[in-house]
Amino acid sequence: LRVAPDLAAADITDDARLADDLGLDSMDRLNLVSALCQRFGISIPEVDYHELATPATAVRYIDDATDGR
């Protein structure tokens, strides 16, 4: 997924906080949510956005939402 083109892949770790550590702003985070929804065929309600705080928590959320497909 290409969401924040200014972000280097080497800077992304499992526990990096998307906003605080990686500098994703609100538009980047909305683009991420949209891309994840399209890529995995899921819906992520706004109330769950906090579940996507790090790459690791996002993976867990997607895994739960897709039943591990």
Side-chain angles (χ1 to χ4, degrees), residues 12-67:
I12 302 171
T13 62
D14 287 345
D15 61 346
R17 293 169 297 179
L18 299 179
D20 297 332
D21 298 330
L22 301 178
L24 269 67
D25 63 22
S26 58
M27 185 57 76
D28 291 330
R29 290 191 307 271
L30 287 175
N31 288 337
L32 175 63
V33 169
S34 177
L36 292 172
C37 289
Q38 288 179 346
R39 170 66 177 90
F40 295 101
I42 61 174
S43 177
I44 303 173
E46 189 173 347
V47 69
D48 288 348
Y49 287 5
H50 71 279
E51 300 281 341
L52 311 173
T54 69
T57 59
V59 167
R60 278 193 298 274
Y61 185 91
I62 293 165
D63 189 49
D64 290 345
T66 61
D67 294 322

